[in-house]
Amino acid sequence: MDLAYGADYDAFREEVKAFIRDHKHRQPQPGDGLRSQALKDWQSVLIEHGYHSRTVPRDYGGYGAEPDIIKSRIISEEFGAERVHRGFNGQGVTMLTPVLLEMGTEEQKQAFVSPTINAEIIWCQGYSEPGAGSDLASLTTKAELDGDEWVINGQKIWTSTAHHADWMFCLVRTEPDAPKHLGISFLLFRMDTPGIEIRPLVDMTGDANFNEVFFTDVRVPKNQIIGERGQGWQVANAVLGHERGSLATPDAATNRLNGVKRLMREESISGQPIIDNPVFRDRLMRLEGRVLAMQYNDMRLLSAKINKNQDVRLAKIIVKLIGTELRHEIECLGIDVMGEIGLSYGDNPHVKGLGSWQYQYMFYLGLIIGGGTSQIQKNIISERGLGMPKEPKMSAAEKAVKGA
Amino acid sequence: MDLAYGADYDAFREEVKAFIRDHKHRQPQPGDGLRSQALKDWQSVLIEHGYHSRTVPRDYGGYGAEPDIIKSRIISEEFGAERVHRGFNGQGVTMLTPVLLEMGTEEQKQAFVSPTINAEIIWCQGYSEPGAGSDLASLTTKAELDGDEWVINGQKIWTSTAHHADWMFCLVRTEPDAPKHLGISFLLFRMDTPGIEIRPLVDMTGDANFNEVFFTDVRVPKNQIIGERGQGWQVANAVLGHERGSLATPDAATNRLNGVKRLMREESISGQPIIDNPVFRDRLMRLEGRVLAMQYNDMRLLSAKINKNQDVRLAKIIVKLIGTELRHEIECLGIDVMGEIGLSYGDNPHVKGLGSWQYQYMFYLGLIIGGGTSQIQKNIISERGLGMPKEPKMSAAEKAVKGA
Amino acid sequence: MEFGLSQDQLLLDDSVRKFLSAEVPLDAIRSLAAGEGSDASVWRGLADMGLAGVLIPEAHGGAEMGMLDAVVIAEALGYAACPGPFLSTAVMASYLLKEAGATDPLARMAAGEYRVGIAFSDVIGARKGQVTESDSKLSGQSLFAFDAEADAYLVALADGQVLMIEASEVKRASLTTIDKTRSVCELTFDASPACLVTDDMALVKQAILRGRAVQAADTLGAAQYMLDQAVAYSLERKQFNRVVGSFQAVKHMCAEMASQLEPCRAFVWYAGHAFDEASDDAAVTACHAKAHLAEVGQFVAKTSTEVHGGMGFTDLLGLHYWFKRIGFNRQLLGSPEAVRQEAAVLQGLCD
Amino acid sequence: MEFGLSQDQLLLDDSVRKFLSAEVPLDAIRSLAAGEGSDASVWRGLADMGLAGVLIPEAHGGAEMGMLDAVVIAEALGYAACPGPFLSTAVMASYLLKEAGATDPLARMAAGEYRVGIAFSDVIGARKGQVTESDSKLSGQSLFAFDAEADAYLVALADGQVLMIEASEVKRASLTTIDKTRSVCELTFDASPACLVTDDMALVKQAILRGRAVQAADTLGAAQYMLDQAVAYSLERKQFNRVVGSFQAVKHMCAEMASQLEPCRAFVWYAGHAFDEASDDAAVTACHAKAHLAEVGQFVAKTSTEVHGGMGFTDLLGLHYWFKRIGFNRQLLGSPEAVRQEAAVLQGLCD
């Protein structure tokens, strides 16, 4: 057990600190949007210094460093501690870029990587469909080849940045007769292609965090495909795992827990500081114990990435299930301790700097469901983590009876 | 809503009170066993006055009253309040007697009912088998007809009074080629029949609350069968439902909760009465809310029995699941509030009059599992209570793969 | 002996539910949530059925029913996520004004023409700054008053005085909460003239207790709706070639919801009945019912949303209106912890 | 940077587990529970491997390892439900005597020849009547001392004084608890001569904290055993023509156990390590680890038993020894509520 990063890394940390000190004033301000010059400039500065797209090769506009998890962690820690803008990290950056680098043609890499990491192309992801939430293999949006073009018809849902995006990377069924997992292709296309309609999908928070996207005879050049026809499932899966882990980071949970703690110290009900209420304090401490467990679990995962000598399969696949649930419960405590005032929402002046517990409470319920419901997570944990059998498939006869 | 029982019943209650006042001194004492004359005498007195076997016809040795749920309830309340011995209520009385009365031949009723309710024959029940816990239909103990006798081979488990019993009522497979539910018969036989071996089954409490019973060529006269060959499943099911409800009565839960409350008022830790600890008090109150819900649910069930105009199917089938879990948690609080002393067990002097929380904590875990695990209960509730589909059966091909 | 609803109560339940399913469709809730339309016509309709005057004596134009009836109505209102001042005007204010002998407004309240809101923050859980009274004039702020459209408010001070004040005499700022089917506001008093209704703290406490019993029923209704929806949705929606309701995990989630919820029905009935019979255990039962339903409701709200998968998270099915109503009930008139503490105090287990 | 066990620690873990699986089979636990046999040979074996002296300096014949090593050992001991005075003698007493400079007994303790028990009831949660000291003589009762076979006891008084007393000087009554793999007794002092070890309350607290971290690891090990058994049993046992482990409900029970338990591994490692590094958060972490493992352990103990169905309830598989060990750890050195309260005090959140 050695929790120190060592002298070289300490030096690197100083570099990062110095960078932040010197450049902090140039970061985008709250009002600056996705399309602002301020964001683009900041993005360039970050890439130039290796604090964004660090391992993307220089040939494609990145910084070109070797992967180094500890350096990534140090950057993350220092930017987090100083609350400095991390640059744009949409789905194009986090999910498509690795796919392009691994499976794209040279031409595709040249065309897309640099504009993507420089926030010149904003992407959205078209995976989920209304009939295929936890079950991507049964997606039905289809693309048929007509001359030199794919013609797409169907619908996507849970498309988070569709209304801001320039392009979409999308899974479509191209071989309707192939077995389910083998008939899918991975296409790229512009969002202003005729036949695309975007409808915002308002959710329980009242915001439209997601969209539905409808395709009617959308025509896409034949070569805008990553990988081979029918390999889209494999292409997408190469990065899907990445998404699942990132929904529930223990750092954020720690921050929110400390937020509740602050709230309980600062606020009083009937003249008594909330922290003096032993029942709420016990709930707080109970949650703190759970947060600590996830925090050290995360350090173990980080260490396993660096040292590659530990089996952390189980420690990894439980993070989404436990982490999202934990966040949901932390937010619930934030609500409960405030009594009636805990109901405040939106423009209610009592929401003030306390943070919107109700918003996060609902948003984290969304995350418990999204990216594989808790039920799917438990299936995965029992099957991949504990070696238990898969759900038996129904016989054909029964499908006929139960289906339809 | 009318919670009064009415004048007639008030008069009946007075009768019961008077009986108790006049006869209490004759009840069996703690040392009197199953075979004691004291118990038999008391049993006679109870039957004679209609406080036991109340609805069993006089021809078969009972009191011969019409069923009256309120009177039963009043008897139960008054005997409970005065902690008076209810007489012997083994499985012969509660489970076999109704079966005999409904499905036995006249000869069988004459032979068995009176000695059973008079505690002259003690019965044990042979349903469960090691390979068929929640799945009675797959029991494998078999009986083959050889001349005028059934020859039984196999094994039973969870046989609670086997070591005290004179007779067993037992489910055996008599038609091996019939569909699973249709090949079972309901037999009666003496426990001293050659070929029966009883092994006590020690459980986690340290006691042997149950037994295993092994049969090797046990020969039983052909006519000792209730119902027809192959109908044993239907015969047994006629009374099984009765057992499930009785495992978790809210009155007992209320008593135990009041026990914890008393404990918390009487005991102190570090000079502080436990009841002054707000965290434990909150747990107590939370449990009290849950107990009250079950208590009024029980009144609703009672009322439905009397008035027969309410649909209480769901209210009824959830009792075992919720009731056993609730008891388990009440016992847990009894342990937790005592700190290290809460670990006391068996002959430990600190157990004293406080009641053995640890024993009940484990015993109720047994009841959560026994008589249909919580998983089976939830299947039943979702299927029968909410109309959701049954588990799909595996296809024959898959059985071949997964089975064996 | 009959533990259950009378024929009259079953008819009441039936007619309220029929009215609500016709008059409060999801679209009406959506409009109200969007700040369009009002609950005025629904409230008038409910008043025409006698519901606004459920606790008001016939002599004052009310229906003179009991708390069990109020509980039956509240369950139906919760099931429909119905807006309107039932809790404030028809239950808490009606009870308090009647008991205090301040019967003047009762007839108009029963007719659905006069709404009386509740501003009890100082008693429920005071924050910095309390409302003070001097010479029948109020000063200060009441942070959390319901409803926002009331014609007048009952303001409870920490010392147990209750005053009634016309809405026109106060500055009223509407407060956004998660629940758009109920309205809440902040009242600011500036030597505002008010009228003493009572200085009997016991009446305030009793009004709050009755409010809690009614709220428990409201949560029961809302949670029952969410359970019904979850079961129905799970039998429609398919994943992996099966209706999701055939998966054991989903079946067990529904079974757990039903198992926790079903006993609550008898519980809230008794909570109402205990007031009608003036039973010794009425106060403790009301607290326990409120706290217990808050916990069960939260479990059902979350679990039903999960059974709905992504659809549960969206606005499309409108399920969240019930989720939020249950969340609102959880906090209103005291969080579960606070209410359980009171149940302990009522039993003499602590001060 | 490496968060995890060193090669040495992995070897230690491996060798302890091998030793225990050979020397502490279920039959040995059964015998001990039946009051037959003793843990003497196992303890001697563990001492030969250096475990009895894990925290004792080499100068005094110990292995001079650290708290992380102690945690690794404790997890293995819990997994095997191994009897013996590891917590009392090897952890709490070793630490306390070493820090207090009372080094005389250390060599014999490290050799496994001298067992020192812990009688801290008056500090952990005093009942009526405390132990008093006068002129180096003890009077009164210590209600809950572990272990029952110790050669001497450290007795902590409410004022922070710790005295050591030979077992021969006290009246010792063995106490039955649920857990037959550990032994507990009641000590009665009657002006019994004892020897002052320290009057530094901080040392008592530190010893308790170290005990808690080690106990958390013991629970982790025991719970991991119960999870492993549940998965294995569910893949063997058939019902309704399927192995029960193929039912989604059973799979999810196992998934929930694993999800709660797995992060505890890193948690207890850090709890041990924090003492070795003298980190500021060592005390809070130890409390949290102990309380968290108590809750997770209870969940796993119950759920694993349920997965085993009726077999889990019987003595046949011996599963209940682990169930009870987890239950024992839950209460020993403070119930979860008490320990969480201490975590709050340590952070200055309350007095």
Side-chain angles (χ1 to χ4, degrees):
Chain A
M1 186 78 80
D2 174 11
L3 303 189
Y5 291 146
D8 285 358
Y9 287 115
D10 291 346
F12 180 75
R13 188 186 295 276
E14 290 312 312
E15 269 176 46
V16 180
K17 280 183 195 287
F19 168 84
I20 290 173
R21 207 166 40 237
D22 297 345
H23 297 80
K24 200 175 174 179
H25 62 283
R26 290 168 61 184
Q27 69 178 324
Q29 298 308 304
D32 296 326
L34 268 183
R35 302 293 180 181
S36 67
Q37 194 56 42
L39 178 63
K40 286 192 182 122
D41 291 346
W42 181 241
Q43 197 82 350
S44 304
V45 171
L46 291 179
I47 294 174
E48 182 193 332
H49 289 81
Y51 300 137
H52 194 284
S53 302
R54 184 170 172 81
T55 59
V56 173
R58 280 189 181 269
D59 288 353
Y60 308 123
Y63 180 73
E66 285 301 302
D68 185 322
I69 291 152
I70 299 186
K71 286 192 176 169
S72 304
R73 175 84 172 200
I74 289 170
I75 296 167
S76 189
E77 286 173 0
E78 292 303 321
F79 275 66
E82 296 293 319
R83 298 190 187 189
V84 176
H85 198 295
R86 296 298 314 267
F88 176 67
N89 278 297
Q91 289 171 319
V93 175
T94 58
M95 304 193 68
L96 179 64
T97 300
V99 165
L100 284 168
L101 290 172
E102 198 175 323
M103 317 195 72
T105 63
E106 185 55 34
E107 203 182 340
Q108 288 167 335
K109 293 186 211 179
Q110 290 292 351
F112 293 116
V113 174
S114 177
T116 300
I117 62 178
N118 279 288
E120 284 154 15
I121 302 181
I122 310 290
W123 292 85
C124 63
Q125 181 206 62
Y127 288 2
S128 296
E129 295 187 5
S134 296
D135 176 21
L136 274 188
S138 44
L139 49 84
T140 58
T141 294
K142 64 176 181 202
E144 290 170 312
L145 210 51
D146 178 25
D148 276 352
E149 293 177 322
W150 295 105
V151 182
I152 309 178
N153 282 284
Q155 183 196 344
K156 294 290 173 182
I157 194 170
W158 310 118
T159 315
S160 46
T161 42
H163 46 312
H164 300 302
D166 306 296
W167 284 70
M168 172 180 272
F169 55 99
C170 186
L171 291 176
V172 293
R173 187 164 298 282
T174 49
E175 337 291 304
D177 301 327
K180 280 187 154 194
H181 289 77
L182 301 176
I184 296 168
S185 297
F186 193 107
L187 302 186
L188 314 176
F189 47 83
R190 296 186 58 89
M191 286 300 281
D192 57 7
T193 315
I196 297 180
E197 189 199 342
I198 301 168
R199 291 190 207 148
L201 190 61
V202 175
D203 60 52
M204 69 193 298
T205 66
D207 288 354
N209 288 297
F210 301 95
N211 299 276
E212 293 177 287
V213 182
F214 296 84
F215 306 106
T216 312
D217 293 331
V218 175
R219 302 186 80 89
V220 170
K222 186 180 168 185
N223 64 345
Q224 289 180 196
I225 183 171
I226 308 280
E228 300 295 316
R229 265 181 83 144
Q231 289 192 347
W233 174 257
Q234 292 85 325
V235 175
N237 259 318
V239 283
L240 249 186
H242 185 72
E243 183 189 36
R244 289 197 171 141
S246 65
L247 292 175
T249 68
D251 286 355
T254 306
N255 286 342
R256 290 300 283 184
L257 187 87
N258 287 335
V260 185
K261 212 184 270 183
R262 230 174 6 252
L263 185 71
M264 290 173 67
R265 299 179 95 146
E266 288 167 5
E267 298 283 322
S268 293
I269 291 188
S270 304
Q272 187 200 39
I274 296 168
I275 196 71
D276 290 353
N277 180 318
V279 181
F280 286 135
R281 205 168 57 223
D282 187 65
R283 265 178 73 184
L284 177 73
M285 288 298 99
R286 208 162 165 153
L287 287 168
E288 187 166 74
R290 290 166 61 188
V291 168
L292 288 177
M294 292 312 288
Q295 196 173 298
Y296 297 117
N297 189 65
D298 189 58
M299 286 178 75
R300 185 178 165 210
L301 293 179
L302 173 70
S303 173
K305 275 194 205 156
I306 301 166
N307 303 293
K308 298 194 193 297
N309 58 351
Q310 296 178 29
D311 175 10
V312 291
R313 197 178 24 149
L314 198 48
K316 196 169 176 178
I317 57 177
I318 57 97
V319 168
K320 197 256 172 183
L321 177 70
I322 297 290
T324 50
E325 187 64 47
L326 182 52
R327 265 302 289 278
H328 183 69
E329 290 186 39
I330 292 170
E331 306 300 333
C332 181
L333 179 58
I335 295 167
D336 279 356
V337 298
M338 296 295 286
E340 293 182 335
I341 298 294
L343 294 166
S344 307
Y345 201 62
D347 61 4
N348 185 319
H350 297 297
V351 172
K352 35 179 182 176
L354 304 175
S356 183
W357 309 100
Q358 290 278 8
Y359 189 96
Q360 297 286 330
Y361 179 67
M362 289 188 273
F363 193 75
Y364 265 83
L365 179 53
L367 288 187
I368 288 173
I369 294 167
T373 62
S374 290
Q375 281 56 57
I376 300 291
Q377 297 297 323
K378 288 178 195 170
N379 284 350
I380 293 172
I381 293 163
S382 60
E383 290 163 15
R384 298 193 204 153
L386 300 173
M388 299 179 83
K390 292 212 159 210
E391 272 299 282
K393 293 217 169 54
M394 279 197 292
S395 65
E398 278 205 313
K399 265 186 207 169
V401 177
K402 311 249 168 189
Chain B
M1 186 78 77
D2 173 12
L3 303 188
Y5 290 148
D8 286 357
Y9 287 113
D10 291 347
F12 180 74
R13 186 185 295 276
E14 289 312 311
E15 268 176 48
V16 181
K17 279 184 194 288
F19 168 84
I20 290 173
R21 206 164 41 235
D22 297 346
H23 296 81
K24 199 176 177 179
H25 62 283
R26 290 169 60 184
Q27 69 180 321
Q29 298 308 306
D32 297 326
L34 266 184
R35 303 293 181 181
S36 66
Q37 193 56 43
L39 177 63
K40 286 191 182 124
D41 291 347
W42 181 242
Q43 197 82 350
S44 304
V45 171
L46 291 179
I47 295 175
E48 183 192 330
H49 289 81
Y51 301 137
H52 193 285
S53 302
R54 185 172 172 80
T55 59
V56 173
R58 280 190 181 269
D59 288 353
Y60 307 124
Y63 180 73
E66 286 301 302
D68 185 320
I69 290 153
I70 299 186
K71 286 191 176 169
S72 303
R73 175 85 172 198
I74 289 170
I75 295 168
S76 189
E77 286 173 359
E78 292 303 320
F79 275 66
E82 296 292 320
R83 299 191 187 187
V84 176
H85 197 296
R86 296 297 317 265
F88 177 67
N89 278 297
Q91 288 171 319
V93 175
T94 58
M95 303 194 67
L96 179 64
T97 300
V99 165
L100 284 168
L101 290 173
E102 197 175 323
M103 316 193 74
T105 63
E106 183 56 32
E107 204 183 339
Q108 287 167 337
K109 292 187 212 177
Q110 290 292 351
F112 293 115
V113 175
S114 176
T116 299
I117 62 177
N118 280 288
E120 284 154 15
I121 301 180
I122 310 291
W123 293 84
C124 63
Q125 180 206 63
Y127 287 3
S128 296
E129 295 187 6
S134 295
D135 176 23
L136 274 189
S138 44
L139 49 84
T140 59
T141 294
K142 66 177 180 200
E144 290 170 313
L145 209 51
D146 178 25
D148 276 353
E149 293 178 321
W150 296 105
V151 181
I152 308 178
N153 281 283
Q155 185 197 344
K156 294 290 174 182
I157 195 171
W158 310 120
T159 315
S160 46
T161 43
H163 47 312
H164 300 302
D166 307 296
W167 284 71
M168 172 181 272
F169 55 99
C170 185
L171 291 175
V172 292
R173 187 163 297 282
T174 49
E175 336 291 306
D177 301 327
K180 280 186 155 194
H181 289 79
L182 301 176
I184 295 169
S185 297
F186 193 107
L187 302 186
L188 314 177
F189 46 83
R190 296 185 59 88
M191 286 299 281
D192 57 5
T193 314
I196 298 181
E197 190 200 343
I198 302 168
R199 290 190 208 149
L201 189 61
V202 175
D203 61 53
M204 70 193 300
T205 66
D207 289 354
N209 288 297
F210 301 95
N211 299 276
E212 293 177 289
V213 183
F214 296 85
F215 307 106
T216 313
D217 293 333
V218 176
R219 303 188 79 89
V220 170
K222 186 180 168 185
N223 65 344
Q224 288 180 194
I225 184 172
I226 308 280
E228 300 294 317
R229 268 182 80 147
Q231 290 194 347
W233 174 257
Q234 293 85 326
V235 174
N237 258 318
V239 283
L240 250 187
H242 184 72
E243 184 189 35
R244 289 197 171 140
S246 65
L247 293 175
T249 69
D251 286 355
T254 305
N255 286 342
R256 289 300 283 184
L257 186 88
N258 288 335
V260 186
K261 213 183 269 182
R262 232 175 5 251
L263 185 71
M264 289 173 67
R265 299 180 95 146
E266 288 167 6
E267 298 284 322
S268 293
I269 291 188
S270 303
Q272 188 199 38
I274 297 168
I275 196 72
D276 290 352
N277 179 317
V279 181
F280 286 135
R281 206 169 54 222
D282 188 65
R283 265 178 75 184
L284 177 73
M285 287 298 100
R286 207 162 166 155
L287 288 168
E288 187 165 74
R290 290 166 61 189
V291 168
L292 288 178
M294 292 313 287
Q295 195 173 298
Y296 297 117
N297 190 64
D298 189 58
M299 286 179 73
R300 184 178 166 209
L301 293 179
L302 173 70
S303 173
K305 275 192 205 159
I306 300 167
N307 303 293
K308 300 193 191 297
N309 58 350
Q310 297 177 29
D311 175 9
V312 290
R313 197 177 25 151
L314 199 48
K316 196 169 176 179
I317 58 176
I318 56 96
V319 168
K320 197 253 171 185
L321 177 70
I322 296 290
T324 50
E325 187 64 49
L326 181 52
R327 266 302 289 278
H328 183 70
E329 290 186 40
I330 292 171
E331 306 300 333
C332 181
L333 179 59
I335 295 167
D336 279 355
V337 298
M338 296 296 285
E340 293 183 334
I341 298 294
L343 293 165
S344 307
Y345 201 63
D347 62 4
N348 185 320
H350 297 297
V351 172
K352 37 181 178 170
L354 304 174
S356 183
W357 310 99
Q358 290 279 7
Y359 189 95
Q360 297 287 330
Y361 178 67
M362 290 188 272
F363 192 76
Y364 265 83
L365 179 53
L367 289 187
I368 288 172
I369 294 168
T373 62
S374 290
Q375 281 56 58
I376 300 291
Q377 297 297 324
K378 289 178 195 170
N379 285 350
I380 293 172
I381 294 163
S382 60
E383 291 164 15
R384 298 192 205 155
L386 300 173
M388 299 179 82
K390 292 213 160 209
E391 272 299 281
K393 292 219 171 49
M394 278 196 293
S395 65
E398 278 206 314
K399 263 185 209 171
V401 176
K402 311 246 169 190
Chain C
M1 186 274 179
E2 181 156 21
F3 184 95
L5 304 183
S6 66
Q7 281 307 315
D8 284 353
Q9 282 155 344
L10 290 170
L11 280 173
L12 172 69
D13 181 57
D14 191 54
S15 59
V16 176
R17 284 177 191 258
K18 281 202 181 113
F19 174 82
L20 292 172
S21 76
E23 300 300 320
V24 191
L26 182 55
D27 283 349
I29 297 172
R30 283 194 192 290
S31 300
L32 201 77
E36 299 150 14
S38 97
D39 60 9
S41 76
V42 171
W43 186 241
R44 212 166 306 115
L46 291 170
D48 290 347
M49 297 169 74
L51 272 52
V54 58
L55 297 184
I56 294 175
E58 286 185 3
H60 299 286
E64 200 167 335
M65 294 191 277
M67 274 294 292
L68 178 53
D69 304 281
V71 155
V72 169
I73 295 163
E75 191 186 332
L77 295 173
Y79 195 90
C82 180
F86 184 74
L87 177 67
S88 53
T89 301
V91 177
M92 294 178 69
S94 293
Y95 167 81
L96 210 151
L97 290 168
K98 178 186 66 181
E99 293 297 320
T103 54
D104 274 5
L106 292 178
R108 283 188 297 154
M109 288 161 68
E113 289 162 7
Y114 191 69
R115 298 180 175 202
V116 180
I118 298 294
F120 280 15
S121 289
D122 283 2
V123 178
I124 302 293
R127 320 293 295 211
K128 46 203 141 174
Q130 301 194 324
V131 182
T132 55
E133 178 269 343
S134 165
D135 202 16
S136 282
K137 289 190 164 48
L138 293 176
S139 295
Q141 275 192 316
S142 188
L143 286 195
F144 195 94
F146 54 99
D147 306 279
E149 295 87 15
D151 299 293
Y153 290 90
L154 290 173
V155 184
L157 308 191
D159 65 3
Q161 276 191 81
V162 180
L163 298 98
M164 185 143 156
I165 188 163
E166 292 297 312
S168 55
E169 302 286 352
V170 299
K171 212 176 94 193
R172 174 158 66 173
S174 189
L175 289 178
T176 305
T177 75
I178 45 163
D179 182 10
K180 299 286 197 287
T181 71
R182 261 78 75 87
S183 65
V184 171
C185 61
E186 190 169 306
L187 303 179
T188 306
F189 310 101
D190 183 10
S192 315
C195 203
L196 183 68
V197 172
T198 181
D199 56 6
D200 182 356
M201 183 57 122
L203 281 187
V204 175
K205 288 192 172 161
Q206 285 295 325
I208 291 172
L209 289 169
R210 279 164 175 75
R212 284 176 180 158
V214 162
Q215 251 189 315
D218 191 282
T219 294
L220 170 62
Q224 185 67 49
Y225 176 86
M226 291 194 78
L227 169 57
D228 291 351
Q229 294 293 310
V231 172
Y233 183 83
S234 80
L235 297 181
E236 266 170 31
R237 165 81 173 170
K238 277 191 214 146
Q239 292 254 284
F240 304 104
N241 274 318
R242 293 164 56 174
V243 294
V244 300
S246 74
F247 283 99
Q248 201 181 22
V250 174
K251 288 165 64 178
H252 284 198
M253 289 165 90
C254 292
E256 284 161 17
M257 287 192 271
S259 303
Q260 292 195 31
L261 202 52
E262 189 59 26
C264 295
R265 187 145 288 116
F267 197 177
V268 302
W269 288 348
Y270 184 78
H273 177 72
F275 285 111
D276 293 334
E277 294 290 300
S279 291
D280 291 342
D281 59 356
V284 171
T285 308
C287 290
H288 273 313
K290 150 89 172 137
H292 183 66
L293 262 300
E295 307 290 7
V296 172
Q298 181 176 61
F299 171 73
V300 172
K302 176 180 178 229
T303 308
S304 168
T305 306
E306 284 193 71
V307 169
H308 281 80
M311 272 302 127
F313 182 62
T314 69
D315 176 61
L316 293 173
L317 304 173
L319 195 73
H320 62 95
Y321 291 113
W322 282 262
F323 179 97
K324 292 165 180 171
R325 189 168 176 116
I326 291 167
F328 187 91
N329 286 348
R330 182 178 171 91
Q331 307 299 337
L332 190 71
L333 300 180
S335 68
E337 283 82 4
V339 176
R340 282 194 292 266
Q341 168 73 3
E342 213 172 307
V345 171
L346 286 163
Q347 295 178 60
L349 297 176
C350 58
D351 310 323
Chain D
M1 185 273 181
E2 180 157 19
F3 184 95
L5 304 183
S6 66
Q7 281 306 315
D8 284 353
Q9 282 155 344
L10 291 170
L11 280 173
L12 172 69
D13 181 57
D14 192 53
S15 60
V16 176
R17 284 175 191 260
K18 279 199 183 117
F19 173 83
L20 293 172
S21 77
E23 299 299 320
V24 191
L26 182 55
D27 282 349
I29 297 172
R30 282 194 194 289
S31 300
L32 202 77
E36 299 151 14
S38 97
D39 60 7
S41 75
V42 171
W43 186 239
R44 211 165 307 115
L46 292 170
D48 290 347
M49 297 170 73
L51 273 53
V54 59
L55 297 184
I56 294 175
E58 285 185 1
H60 298 287
E64 200 167 335
M65 294 191 278
M67 274 294 293
L68 178 53
D69 304 281
V71 155
V72 169
I73 295 163
E75 191 186 333
L77 295 172
Y79 195 89
C82 180
F86 184 74
L87 177 67
S88 53
T89 301
V91 177
M92 295 178 68
S94 293
Y95 167 80
L96 210 152
L97 290 169
K98 179 186 63 181
E99 293 297 320
T103 54
D104 273 4
L106 292 178
R108 282 188 297 154
M109 288 162 68
E113 288 162 7
Y114 191 69
R115 299 181 176 200
V116 180
I118 298 294
F120 280 14
S121 290
D122 283 2
V123 177
I124 302 293
R127 319 295 295 212
K128 44 202 143 172
Q130 300 193 325
V131 183
T132 55
E133 178 269 342
S134 164
D135 202 16
S136 281
K137 290 190 165 45
L138 293 175
S139 295
Q141 275 192 315
S142 188
L143 286 195
F144 195 93
F146 54 99
D147 307 275
E149 296 87 13
D151 299 295
Y153 290 90
L154 290 174
V155 184
L157 308 191
D159 64 4
Q161 277 191 80
V162 180
L163 297 99
M164 184 143 155
I165 187 164
E166 292 296 313
S168 56
E169 301 287 353
V170 300
K171 213 178 94 193
R172 173 158 68 172
S174 188
L175 290 179
T176 304
T177 74
I178 45 162
D179 182 9
K180 298 286 196 290
T181 71
R182 261 79 71 90
S183 65
V184 171
C185 61
E186 188 169 308
L187 302 179
T188 306
F189 310 102
D190 183 11
S192 314
C195 204
L196 183 69
V197 172
T198 182
D199 55 6
D200 182 356
M201 184 57 123
L203 282 187
V204 175
K205 288 192 172 159
Q206 285 296 324
I208 292 171
L209 289 169
R210 280 164 173 77
R212 285 176 180 157
V214 162
Q215 253 188 313
D218 191 283
T219 294
L220 170 62
Q224 185 67 51
Y225 175 86
M226 290 194 79
L227 169 57
D228 291 351
Q229 293 293 310
V231 172
Y233 184 82
S234 81
L235 298 181
E236 265 170 32
R237 165 81 173 172
K238 279 192 208 141
Q239 291 254 287
F240 304 103
N241 274 319
R242 294 164 57 173
V243 294
V244 301
S246 73
F247 284 99
Q248 201 181 23
V250 173
K251 287 166 66 180
H252 284 198
M253 289 165 90
C254 292
E256 285 162 16
M257 287 191 272
S259 302
Q260 292 195 32
L261 202 52
E262 189 60 25
C264 295
R265 187 145 287 115
F267 196 177
V268 302
W269 289 348
Y270 183 78
H273 177 72
F275 284 110
D276 293 335
E277 295 290 302
S279 291
D280 291 343
D281 60 356
V284 172
T285 308
C287 290
H288 274 313
K290 150 87 172 137
H292 183 66
L293 262 300
E295 306 291 8
V296 172
Q298 183 176 61
F299 171 73
V300 172
K302 178 182 177 225
T303 308
S304 167
T305 305
E306 284 194 71
V307 169
H308 281 81
M311 273 301 126
F313 181 61
T314 69
D315 176 61
L316 293 172
L317 303 173
L319 195 73
H320 63 95
Y321 291 114
W322 283 261
F323 180 97
K324 292 165 180 171
R325 189 168 176 116
I326 290 168
F328 187 91
N329 286 348
R330 181 178 172 92
Q331 308 298 337
L332 190 70
L333 300 180
S335 68
E337 284 82 3
V339 177
R340 283 195 291 267
Q341 167 73 2
E342 214 172 306
V345 171
L346 285 164
Q347 295 178 59
L349 297 176
C350 57
D351 310 321

